[in-house]
Amino acid sequence: QLQLQESGPGLVKPSETLSLTCTVSGDSISVNTYHWGWIRQTPGRGLEWIGSVHYTGTTYYKSSLKSRLTMSADTSKNQFSLRLTSLTAADTAVFYCARQSGSYLVSESYFDYWGQGILVTVSS
Amino acid sequence: SYELIQPPSVSVSPGQTASVTCSGDNLGDKYVCWYQQKPGQPPVLLLYQDNERPSGIPARFSGSNSGNTATLTISGTQAMDEADYYCQTWDTITGVFGTGTKVTVL
């Protein structure tokens, strides 16, 4: 059974950088038809796709976050990661990692497995 | 940027049919998927590519997508179906989630 587990700090200071890792077990991230995504959720904004990464290193990000966001995949550890800089209170959210499955074509893909989520609070 | 609009809430009596709409420009030209989320839990994929059900999802969940509107239909709604529901699509390679709908089973 595929499992995804987010890890990282629960509290980050404003202006600092958030680094989150998603560890995947039960399947390899190195499958061509899988991408791996990050989604966050706040009470006021619902679910928000942040970006996705393919094991080959291909990434695509939400345009409004692109200048602050970096994603990567580590096939040796079967993990993928997110790095978000210059945090503000507006970045406070539950962050989910998820498998994006269905096709190598992004337009045909969907998030079929999700981690439990990690609450990240941005506060001094 | 591309937007998907859902009604904030839908109420339904047990055993009846609930319909949740998701509106976006020319949405019928894109694939839509639907997620169910219960409090304190991550979303669960309900439907993908408009009307395909993953293994384990009951047949009472179905979907359609045409024109500017995609619709999630829950037939014979059960108390356990009370949850938040989100549609999602791709605008080229940008993921877009709907605003979410709370389905209440009265």
Side-chain angles (χ1 to χ4, degrees):
Chain A
Q1 175 75 356
L2 180 70
Q3 291 188 319
L4 295 91
Q5 180 67 57
E6 304 89 350
S7 59
L11 179 64
V12 186
K13 289 181 169 55
S15 80
E16 292 190 343
T17 295
L18 171 67
S19 293
L20 294 177
T21 296
C22 183
T23 300
V24 179
S25 58
D27 201 354
S28 171
I29 69 168
S30 305
V31 174
N32 205 43
T33 53
Y34 297 155
H35 302 244
W36 303 90
W38 289 97
I39 299 101
R40 67 182 179 181
Q41 185 170 32
T42 61
R45 297 206 302 263
L47 292 169
E48 178 185 25
W49 174 79
I50 298 172
S52 299
V53 59
H54 190 258
Y55 82 94
T56 55
T58 298
T59 56
Y60 39 108
Y61 306 143
K62 185 180 174 80
S63 57
S64 61
L65 297 173
K66 193 173 183 177
S67 63
R68 301 194 290 134
L69 186 59
T70 305
M71 292 184 182
S72 61
D74 186 337
T75 56
S76 67
K77 295 181 179 178
N78 220 39
Q79 296 176 333
F80 60 103
S81 301
L82 167 156
R83 185 172 178 268
L84 185 64
T85 64
S86 304
L87 292 178
T88 70
D91 294 309
T92 294
V94 174
F95 285 75
Y96 295 101
C97 61
R99 188 179 78 174
Q100 187 178 325
S101 188
S103 172
Y104 181 75
L105 295 177
V106 173
S107 61
E108 298 180 0
S109 64
Y110 42 86
F111 298 106
D112 59 347
Y113 285 90
W114 296 63
Q116 285 300 306
I118 182 170
L119 173 61
V120 176
T121 301
V122 181
S123 175
S124 55
Chain B
S1 61
Y2 195 82
E3 293 183 333
L4 293 175
I5 306 300
Q6 300 178 232
S9 62
V10 167
S11 297
V12 60
S13 299
Q16 298 304 303
T17 296
S19 294
V20 180
T21 58
C22 172
S23 298
D25 287 344
N26 297 312
L27 186 56
D29 295 337
K30 307 176 188 296
Y31 276 132
V32 172
C33 46
W34 290 91
Y35 301 89
Q36 177 193 67
Q37 187 180 32
K38 296 184 178 180
Q41 298 181 20
V44 172
L45 178 67
L46 273 184
L47 298 171
Y48 63 95
Q49 293 176 2
D50 296 340
N51 192 27
E52 298 295 324
R53 278 180 291 107
S55 173
I57 299 300
R60 65 178 181 274
F61 293 97
S62 63
S64 63
N65 184 21
S66 179
N68 294 320
T69 304
T71 303
L72 167 68
T73 301
I74 311 173
S75 304
T77 306
Q78 300 183 8
M80 68 172 64
D81 299 331
E82 185 161 292
D84 293 329
Y85 292 82
Y86 294 89
C87 57
Q88 184 253 316
T89 193
W90 295 93
D91 181 31
T92 59
I93 57 170
T94 296
V96 182
F97 282 92
T99 50
T101 298
K102 181 175 181 58
V103 171
T104 301
V105 183
L106 299 171

